[in-house]
Amino acid sequence: MNEPLSFVNPSPESPWGTYLSQVDRVLPYLGPLARWGETLRRPKRALIVDVPIELDDGSVAHFEGYRVQHSLTRGPGKGGVRYHPDVTLDEVMALSAWMSIKNAAVNLPYGGAKGGIRVDPKKLSLKELEKLTRRYTSEIGLIIGPHQDIPAPDVNTNGQIMAWMMDTYSMNVGATATGVVTGKPIHLGGSLGRVKATGRGVFVTGREAARRSGLELPGARVAVQGFGNVGSSAAELFHQAGSKIVAAQDHTGSIYNDAGFDMAELVPHVRRTGGVAGFKGAEAIGLEDFWDVNCDIVIPAALEGQIQPERARRLKAKLVLEGANGPTTTAADDILADRGILVVPDVICNAGGVTVSYFEWVQDFSSFFWTEDEINVRLDKIMVGALRNIWETADRHKISLRTATFAVACERILHARQERGLYP
Ligand code: NAD
């Protein structure tokens, strides 16, 4: 029999279990605010929906969808929507909580939320994908909205899917509501710079961490796991800064080139073929060999739980930049710390995407759009300022950057909770 679903007793290695252990570590640094700490350990609201669609062959398929609002204390919910066959409620809960932490860490006026559908979108036609997205949007329409909760792209979702979500929500409420989702196409109220913003944030935090730890970016060797939106954008910026992208891994395979890839060839290859496998300018390596590559920087930018203890013991890098959400298990995090490998945690490292989503939302409300330069400059400034604050907190308490990010964020969330009070 399946275990009863519970917010409080997950398996420790699951994403939600990982998040809870991260909260446990920060509570001692929160002083009297720790009194409110239990609110961080439970999502405010978790919605499970059935998403039935008629397939192209006339049969009917049912998919399970979720939208979890971990916290609405500092503002509307905000967080992406993921389409993946392994999506679970546990995972979506953790992702929603990490959004609360991330949004507070960069001081955006948002709570945290996340959504997902357990589906392999690669097996659906475009028409089926549209039906799936529209039905899911209608089902979660009960709790989303420009002032309630604002979805965005995540793994396997993109601007087209955001356009369908915006259209469906707008049809249901009877007025065009561009601010209901971010990551939209530019001509539908999207923001310049949004597509590459997460990768840019990974680069900016990586550049600052490298500077503080005396690592020169020109010539630095970089390995990237996940060559989608986040991984490829970050890799391109490191390449432009003179670093060598020596290894890449995605769901199609792993590749290596000791001299660094020709990015002008690799990026179009991935766009054309759907993955890194078969790239002529590199040799294919094994899945596990990727983690043994001689490099200075590793960027996990795929899924959760990729850096487990065994891989953490082998990793050769000096710096881990968590482009993905939750890529490092708690046990592996401790091993990396013992080995003196610096980790810039997801909750600040990949916050560039939601920061430019916030810019998009603000632009939609004011119907006044900024230039790409303005967006990139503001993004850089926010990320550098947030990281500086986190670094000072880490130095002051002698704690990891992850616990320091949680400390900064949880203080903001719990302070807001205290000021709002409990209702009734
Ligand atoms: P994406 O769908 O564009 O790319 C995902 C990449 O991961 C692809 O290259 C895919 O091949 C690879 N991948 C999937 N399964 C894999 C496996 N088992 N082994 C190796 N590679 C695998 O998604 P994305 O938007 O780039 O998101 C990647 C990560 O970044 C996710 O953890 C996501 O939550 C996080 N993130 C994304 C954003 C954003 O703005 N898109 C923002 C913050 C965090």
Side-chain angles (χ1 to χ4, degrees), residues 89-142:
L89 179 60
D90 177 291
E91 177 187 52
V92 180
M93 286 188 339
L95 290 165
S96 73
W98 284 323
M99 287 310 300
S100 300
I101 302 297
K102 196 180 303 181
N103 293 335
V106 278
N107 216 356
L108 305 179
Y110 290 136
K114 199 85 180 192
I117 307 181
R118 193 183 309 153
V119 60
D120 185 350
K122 296 186 173 67
K123 292 193 177 142
L124 297 183
S125 70
L126 198 64
K127 201 71 220 156
E128 291 166 341
L129 196 61
E130 179 177 351
K131 286 184 191 171
L132 181 86
T133 301
R134 288 186 182 279
R135 182 63 193 245
Y136 169 71
T137 308
S138 261
E139 295 296 339
I140 64 165
L142 294 168

Side-chain angles (χ1 to χ4, degrees), residues 204-337:
V204 171
T205 52
R207 181 191 71 203
E208 294 303 299
R211 184 179 59 73
R212 285 168 181 268
S213 40
L215 174 65
E216 294 280 341
L217 286 192
R221 295 166 62 83
V222 181
V224 186
Q225 189 209 29
F227 213 76
N229 176 322
V230 178
S232 67
S233 307
E236 280 188 298
L237 288 167
F238 276 100
H239 179 71
Q240 282 164 24
S243 307
K244 288 196 260 186
I245 317 302
V246 294
Q249 176 178 86
D250 68 6
H251 73 286
T252 65
S254 312
I255 57 171
Y256 178 75
N257 182 335
D258 194 55
F261 304 132
D262 180 342
M263 294 294 286
E265 297 279 329
L266 178 57
V267 172
H269 168 86
V270 172
R271 204 173 297 133
R272 207 171 47 246
T273 65
V276 300
F279 178 54
K280 297 238 169 354
E283 62 176 290
I285 56 171
L287 177 78
E288 283 307 316
D289 299 336
F290 172 85
W291 300 100
D292 293 323
V293 160
N294 180 20
C295 63
D296 301 298
I297 300 174
V298 164
I299 306 177
L303 299 172
E304 300 89 69
Q306 294 298 302
I307 305 184
Q308 302 146 350
E310 203 260 321
R311 288 174 179 168
R313 277 185 214 103
R314 284 155 43 202
L315 220 62
K316 305 227 168 33
K318 303 177 184 75
L319 189 55
V320 177
L321 304 177
E322 293 187 338
N325 286 306
T328 310
T329 67
T330 303
D333 214 16
D334 291 342
I335 292 168
L336 295 177

Side-chain angles (χ1 to χ4, degrees), residues 82 154-156 194 198 227-230 250-251 301-302 323-325 350:
R82 173 175 295 195
D154 191 69
V155 174
N156 290 327
R194 173 60 185 91
T198 307
F227 213 76
N229 176 322
V230 178
D250 68 6
H251 73 286
N325 286 306
N350 69 33

